[in-house]
Amino acid sequence: VESSIPEHMREAWKKFSPKGFTTKDEFESEAVKHIETTLARSLFNCDELAAYSGTALAFRDRLIIDWNKTQQRQSFADQKRLYYLSLEFLMGRALDNAMLNVGLKNVAKDGLADLGFRIEDIIAQEHDAALGNGGLGRLAACFLDSMATLNYAAWGYGLRYRYGIFKQEIQDGYQVEIPDYWLDFNPWEFPRHDVSVDVQFYGWVNKYTNDEGKQIVSWQDGEIVTATAYDVPVPGYGTPTVNNLRLWSSKASSGEFDFAKFNSGEYESAVADEQRAETISAVLYPNDNLERGKELRLKQQYFWCAASLHDIVRRFKKSKRKWSEFSDQVAIQLNDTHPTLAIVELQRILVDMEGLGWDEAWTIVTSTFGYTNHTVLPEALEKWSVPLIQNLLPRHLQIIYEINLQFLQSVEKRFPKDRDLLGRVSIIEESQPKMVRMAYLAIIGSHKVNGVAELHSDLIKTTIFKDFVKVYGPDKFTNVTNGITPRRWLHQANPRLSELIASKIGSYEFLKDLTLLNKLEPFVDDKEFKKEWAEIKYANKVRLAQHIQTTKGYSVNPKALFDIQVKRIHEYKRQQLNIFGVIHRYMAIKSMSPEERKKLVPRVSVFGGKAAPGYWMAKTIIHLINKVGEVVNKDPDVGDLLKVVFLEDYNVSKAEIIVPASDISEHISTAGTEASGTSNMKFVLNGGMIIGTLDGANIEITREIGEQNIFLFGNLSEDVEDLRHHHFYGDYKVNPELVKVFDCIKKGTFGDEGAFGALISGIVEHGDYYLVSDDFNSYCQTQDLIDEAYKDQDAWVTKSITSVARMGFFTSDRCINEYADTIWNIEPLDVAEEKEVRART
Ligand code: F55
């Protein structure tokens, strides 16, 4: 490459290239240098935020040294790379994670203490990077952590939203959304103004035959928006690998067109153009499991896909290989259907821009992509209207039609008598207006399709993608059960438990090979160990109780059973079932004598989660939880026996406090609706029990930890359809205990008699789609069993330890290795030499 320094001058570079700090003094020197020079502050005006900034900049320098080396090493190795395309990366905070991953948290702790700060306070200054909604976005973040830790050459590609998921406040019991402007000071990103891609929208397609008689297709005019790269380093744990997350930011292109406007006095309209361009990467859509078909969302998708694909192709072309080798060098994973246009864009690049034949190009495309499905809910399956695509991306629509034509012809050849099948598998839905079914396009354009837990992967094969199993055979469809990174979700969130485990099994190796947790099982009868185990859980509950005290202003008893449900608010996740159960419990307490009350297990019911701003029913559920809390928490008959807490603004950094503090957590979706769930894994890994339905990964968790260590209830997925049918056509009666709960609400016990009408009528009159009534008995009975079980603390702790010991399967490392072996066909890079060099210096 012409920009590299000539061989004979490299000695000077090597001599002066920074090595990064390793000792406390070196850390302090770096941090103080940044505070005094980069930030222009002094010891006379260094608050916690400035101390955070200085610390973050010092660690950033360290990461970037390793980042540079990793990128050089990966380019040099010239191996296949994986690109993970996700519209969401829910990263949370970076500093704590960076400190732990490079193994220098204690150094920083001591250094900060020298400078007058407590490390916890400094870590808490950081704003979460909240570029995601929930499980899907957090999964992408766990995957990045595992890919770096396992030394895979892998990049994430996403959008650099100016506003992440909104901040939630509760006012008078209602959710209020506050914009999350997070970029004021973000030391973790590196703007790459030299890395940009011009992305085209609108315009028209010109087809003609050139002088040599070749068909030329060109997409002309329209508007151009520039994508600029911002790189975020992703450090692996205990390894020199630092991978890259590349986020694109949109800006008006600085093409001649705009200059012309400025010069001719059209200042205002030029500014308007500028703002329209910047709008593309301005805000994360706050819907989870709902797609609403907005044009700006489609623009985001194409903008990001096009920028990423051109970046990937540019990198491939530098290698001077033949196009036929593309998929030996590049694997691209689609995180849900949001990046499906990448399939069309690659085909367009190969055919229109690089001049390959259609079939040759299509072979390359399909061997490059893999598609992960995260939902079977019909309202979440993406469809875009044909007129919308026609207008915004005219050439892409033609390509989609051509892909569909070829596909349908091949289906017709194989199933000549099945005309209905053609209509069912067509990418185009023949509705008014016509719609493009993105999941079908993703299946047809990929070589593998996977679900995220066993049940879910079976369900997609037998329901929504049934016809494609018929067309392609079953082998195109596979399962990769989700996982979580034990670095953030055990070591970082629960350092004391991590330390206790390490002391028992002899090292921290389990953080890299989570199956080593099974070495804990022999200690389940060790009295001293059990005591420490229980003490740590208690300390974590005290920490959460303090958080509740400071944020909500009231105290809860840390000795009570902590029952926690934190996740996005959604009818299918059934927070309503939980709160109806709480009301049922409240009514029972009210009807008891003081003696009877004495026998009860005190409980704190904790809720947290955001509702999509336009999801009215979800907001009603939040409102009810808060109103129940207001009444129950000040009822003198109840006292400590029951407290109801709604924690505001649930996010990744709050999860790190909440997850280690549960005795029980709730994963109670209607069977067959939650694709996997990942917080279930986090809670169990931190020694909590779970109450759950036979849904998503709960099923595999049960298989691993044993039925005696989980509280399961409710109807099975295979019975859901019949039950729903019965609600409409059978002699459907709402569960009488639930009716009493409804009567209690309707009496105005929790104020606002009218406010909760729709929640109740959805169950009583409109078919109870999520089977709340059908599962209510079983749910309440199981909660009673939990109370009984909790009374025997010794047996409880045994369950807790046994469960943790058996959770090895659920690390995202296992999950990433499965993707690497069965879908991406990539190998980790050897970093032994680099580790050795580092050990010597
Ligand atoms: C966001 C935007 C759209 Cl348009 C659709 C869905 C989402 C979203 O946030 N989905 C999501 O979080 N899905 C979840 O993915 C997790 C990881 O696989 C699963 O564990 C979880 O079951 C699933 O609901």
Side-chain angles (χ1 to χ4, degrees):
V1 214
E2 69 290 342
S3 56
S4 73
I5 302 297
E7 197 72 48
H8 64 280
M9 291 162 172
R10 290 185 190 171
E11 270 315 302
W13 277 80
K14 284 187 185 146
K15 183 168 158 203
F16 293 115
S17 79
K19 301 287 177 292
F21 64 87
T22 46
T23 67
K24 176 175 74 101
D25 286 1
E26 286 165 356
F27 162 70
E28 285 177 56
S29 150
E30 292 295 303
V32 170
K33 183 193 80 187
H34 276 301
I35 292 167
E36 296 197 353
T37 62
T38 317
L39 304 168
R41 306 279 282 258
S42 75
L43 73 168
F44 298 108
N45 69 347
C46 182
D47 54 11
E48 286 178 339
L49 186 59
Y52 158 72
S53 307
T55 307
L57 289 167
F59 273 91
R60 171 179 98 156
D61 286 351
R62 239 211 91 101
L63 290 191
I64 218 65
I65 295 167
D66 283 349
W67 183 92
N68 276 325
K69 287 192 190 152
T70 302
Q71 299 314 317
Q72 283 167 28
R73 199 160 52 236
Q74 292 180 358
S75 307
F76 216 75
D78 200 28
Q79 287 180 14
K80 186 170 183 177
R81 278 198 175 92
L82 176 274
Y83 298 101
Y84 198 78
L85 266 57
S86 178
L87 259 193
E88 306 191 6
F89 288 93
L90 199 43
M91 303 294 280
R93 290 181 178 147
L95 177 59
D96 199 0
N97 192 246
M99 289 173 168
L100 290 168
N101 281 14
V102 301
L104 291 170
K105 187 168 179 181
N106 283 330
V107 166
K109 183 178 172 205
D110 297 345
L112 282 166
D114 271 354
L115 301 173
F117 297 97
R118 284 179 6 154
I119 193 168
E120 299 80 15
D121 302 333
I122 299 312
I123 288 168
Q125 294 300 311
E126 185 173 351
H127 200 114
D128 275 35
L131 307 185
N133 275 286
L136 172 148
R138 182 54 230 178
L139 185 75
C142 284
F143 281 7
L144 292 182
D145 182 272
S146 283
M147 293 187 292
T149 299
L150 297 168
N151 304 308
Y152 285 109
W155 285 40
Y157 274 109
L159 272 185
R160 179 182 177 267
Y161 302 109
R162 205 149 16 105
Y163 297 91
I165 187 71
F166 62 86
K167 288 195 166 303
Q168 179 194 54
E169 282 183 12
I170 302 295
Q171 291 174 13
D172 303 327
Y174 292 100
Q175 167 175 297
V176 174
E177 298 94 20
I178 316 286
D180 169 48
Y181 182 77
W182 69 292
L183 290 170
D184 257 343
F185 175 73
N186 178 12
W188 305 107
E189 64 174 15
F190 290 81
R192 302 277 189 201
H193 294 292
D194 54 327
V195 180
S196 66
V197 179
D198 280 349
V199 179
Q200 187 175 0
F201 293 104
Y202 307 108
W204 57 287
V205 180
N206 189 9
K207 280 192 191 177
Y208 61 94
T209 313
N210 72 2
D211 301 342
E212 288 136 46
K214 199 166 182 228
Q215 259 265 26
I216 301 293
V217 182
S218 99
W219 176 17
Q220 297 184 324
D221 301 336
E223 72 185 49
I224 305 286
V225 180
T226 301
T228 304
Y230 285 71
D231 287 346
V232 181
V234 180
Y237 175 79
T239 170
T241 300
V242 176
N243 277 340
N244 194 27
L245 168 59
R246 179 157 284 178
L247 302 176
W248 298 106
S249 181
S250 63
K251 266 241 171 269
S253 98
S254 51
E256 284 167 52
F257 189 62
D258 305 287
F259 282 118
K261 266 195 179 177
F262 273 103
N263 293 338
S264 64
E266 288 181 67
Y267 184 72
E268 275 177 45
S269 100
V271 171
D273 285 350
E274 175 106 28
Q275 287 184 344
R276 199 145 32 92
E278 288 180 17
T279 301
I280 293 177
S281 62
V283 41
L284 165 78
Y285 275 85
N287 302 315
D288 69 310
N289 287 299
L290 179 74
E291 191 46 68
R292 285 166 22 125
K294 289 269 187 288
E295 176 172 58
L296 181 59
R297 168 84 173 182
L298 186 63
K299 273 188 152 180
Q300 288 187 334
Q301 294 186 347
Y302 180 62
F303 172 78
W304 150 68
C305 287
S308 306
L309 256 294
H310 286 263
D311 205 40
I312 292 167
V313 167
R314 189 160 59 195
R315 198 169 299 122
F316 172 76
K317 285 173 82 169
K318 274 199 206 162
S319 77
K320 307 270 191 243
R321 288 166 187 265
K322 294 184 293 209
W323 284 111
S324 59
E325 291 175 84
F326 189 79
S327 64
D328 302 330
Q329 292 299 104
V330 174
I332 303 177
Q333 191 64 25
L334 307 174
N335 198 19
D336 216 296
T337 54
H338 317 152
T340 304
L341 285 170
I343 290 172
V344 190
E345 180 67 1
L346 182 56
Q347 181 72 1
R348 186 181 78 84
I349 292 171
L350 295 177
V351 173
D352 292 0
M353 299 169 79
E354 302 293 340
L356 274 67
W358 179 275
D359 292 343
E360 188 189 0
W362 188 241
T363 304
I364 294 170
V365 169
T366 52
S367 43
T368 299
F369 287 98
Y371 155 51
T372 305
N373 171 280
H374 295 266
T375 186
V376 294
L377 300 186
E379 66 271 29
L381 297 177
E382 277 191 291
K383 289 178 193 172
W384 291 103
S385 95
V386 166
L388 190 64
I389 299 182
Q390 163 73 57
N391 181 44
L392 189 69
L393 303 166
R395 177 59 184 147
H396 293 77
L397 187 65
Q398 293 176 345
I399 294 173
I400 292 169
Y401 269 104
E402 185 62 29
I403 294 169
N404 198 37
L405 180 68
Q406 306 247 345
F407 171 68
L408 292 180
Q409 282 173 348
S410 75
V411 175
E412 196 176 27
K413 238 185 245 158
R414 289 204 28 231
F415 303 92
K417 295 194 192 74
D418 202 343
R419 291 222 58 97
D420 281 356
L421 179 68
L422 294 184
R424 290 204 306 274
V425 297
S426 173
I427 295 171
I428 307 298
E429 177 184 280
E430 296 295 327
S431 46
Q432 194 55 254
K434 290 193 173 115
M435 303 293 261
V436 176
R437 298 155 161 164
M438 301 308 269
Y440 292 8
L441 179 53
I443 295 170
I444 295 164
S446 302
H447 67 284
K448 278 275 189 224
V449 178
N450 76 285
V452 291
E454 271 178 25
L455 173 69
H456 168 66
S457 297
D458 288 345
L459 282 174
I460 62 178
K461 285 204 264 184
T462 51
T463 62
I464 53 175
F465 302 149
K466 188 167 105 206
D467 292 317
F468 288 91
V469 175
K470 180 167 173 180
V471 170
Y472 288 112
D475 293 349
K476 180 158 182 168
F477 296 84
T478 185
N479 172 248
V480 184
T481 299
N482 281 167
I484 56 168
T485 168
R487 274 74 64 180
R488 183 174 294 258
W489 297 112
L490 177 54
H491 193 48
Q492 183 178 321
N494 202 344
R496 277 189 67 189
L497 193 65
S498 183
E499 195 185 336
L500 177 62
I501 293 170
S503 78
K504 282 291 153 192
I505 64 188
S507 78
Y508 280 105
E509 241 344 84
F510 67 95
L511 292 173
K512 284 193 159 237
D513 175 4
L514 204 63
T515 60
L516 292 174
L517 285 177
N518 63 18
K519 293 195 172 175
L520 284 177
E521 275 211 54
F523 297 100
V524 285
D525 296 318
D526 178 334
K527 282 241 160 59
E528 189 54 31
F529 176 59
K530 286 175 100 170
K531 202 172 135 238
E532 284 179 58
W533 190 273
E535 272 170 19
I536 290 168
K537 176 60 77 180
Y538 183 73
N540 288 329
K541 289 166 71 178
V542 169
R543 177 168 71 155
L544 178 58
Q546 278 160 356
H547 177 78
I548 293 170
Q549 178 71 249
T550 46
T551 55
K552 310 290 293 186
Y554 53 82
S555 60
V556 297
N557 180 2
K559 297 225 165 73
L561 187 160
F562 277 24
D563 171 347
I564 302 181
Q565 187 177 19
V566 284
K567 47 184 87 234
R568 289 297 291 256
I569 311 293
H570 210 293
E571 286 164 278
Y572 87 80
K573 295 177 188 282
R574 297 201 297 191
Q575 284 91 354
Q576 70 275 39
L577 174 59
N578 185 345
I579 193 65
F580 294 152
V582 168
I583 295 171
H584 181 73
R585 179 175 286 258
Y586 174 60
M587 291 164 65
I589 295 171
K590 293 291 278 183
S591 71
M592 284 177 186
S593 68
E595 289 73 51
E596 287 176 302
R597 285 179 192 157
K598 281 201 188 102
K599 289 184 220 141
L600 292 177
V601 176
R603 208 182 255 250
V604 179
S605 227
V606 178
F607 293 82
K610 293 169 187 177
Y615 190 175
W616 188 75
M617 196 63 106
K619 289 184 149 178
T620 303
I621 295 170
I622 292 178
H623 187 203
L624 178 60
I625 296 167
N626 281 296
K627 288 292 158 184
V628 171
E630 280 176 25
V631 172
V632 171
N633 296 350
K634 62 163 196 256
D635 189 329
D637 290 344
V638 175
D640 263 3
L641 293 180
L642 183 59
K643 287 278 179 278
V644 182
V645 183
F646 190 94
L647 286 176
E648 290 171 41
D649 198 39
Y650 176 62
N651 61 13
V652 172
S653 58
K654 296 210 172 77
E656 289 166 22
I657 300 171
I658 296 167
V659 168
S662 80
D663 293 304
I664 276 280
S665 65
E666 308 218 7
H667 309 274
I668 58 175
S669 49
T670 311
T673 62
E674 187 71 278
S676 162
T678 43
S679 75
N680 41 7
M681 303 167 190
K682 296 168 194 167
F683 280 103
V684 179
L685 187 60
N686 282 277
M689 300 286 110
I690 65 186
I691 177 170
T693 45
L694 282 135
D695 199 16
N698 291 354
I699 295 172
E700 286 146 273
I701 292 175
T702 306
R703 188 188 303 151
E704 293 292 314
I705 70 176
E707 265 182 311
Q708 68 287 1
N709 296 318
I710 188 166
F711 297 93
L712 294 174
F713 75 96
N715 282 286
L716 305 182
S717 149
E718 63 229 52
D719 299 324
V720 165
E721 211 181 316
D722 285 350
L723 281 164
R724 281 181 183 152
H725 187 265
H726 180 82
H727 291 174
F728 284 99
Y729 304 105
D731 52 345
Y732 170 60
K733 290 235 160 31
V734 177
N735 175 302
E737 291 301 306
L738 187 57
V739 171
K740 287 185 201 160
V741 169
F742 290 164
D743 289 342
C744 174
I745 296 172
K746 284 197 254 177
K747 260 191 344 214
T749 313
F750 310 107
D752 295 31
E753 286 97 303
F756 311 113
L759 198 50
I760 296 172
S761 68
I763 293 165
V764 179
E765 287 160 47
H766 300 121
D768 188 15
Y769 189 76
Y770 295 104
L771 274 48
V772 172
S773 171
D774 306 80
D775 283 349
F776 191 66
N777 244 331
S778 158
Y779 176 73
C780 293
Q781 280 173 13
T782 306
Q783 286 287 15
D784 293 344
L785 284 179
I786 289 167
D787 286 329
E788 279 314 303
Y790 196 69
K791 288 178 185 165
D792 185 349
Q793 272 300 302
D794 189 62
W796 186 276
V797 175
T798 301
K799 285 180 196 294
S800 168
I801 295 169
T802 311
S803 302
V804 173
R806 299 176 181 176
M807 281 299 285
F809 180 75
F810 298 99
T811 169
S812 44
D813 297 346
R814 183 268 312 153
C815 183
I816 285 300
N817 280 327
E818 279 183 25
Y819 278 99
D821 291 348
T822 66
I823 301 179
W824 304 333
N825 193 23
I826 58 169
E827 302 269 354
L829 229 79
D830 185 3
V831 296
E833 198 180 322
E834 180 61 31
K835 274 190 173 168
E836 214 176 279
V837 170
R838 182 190 279 192
R840 271 189 271 119
T841 50

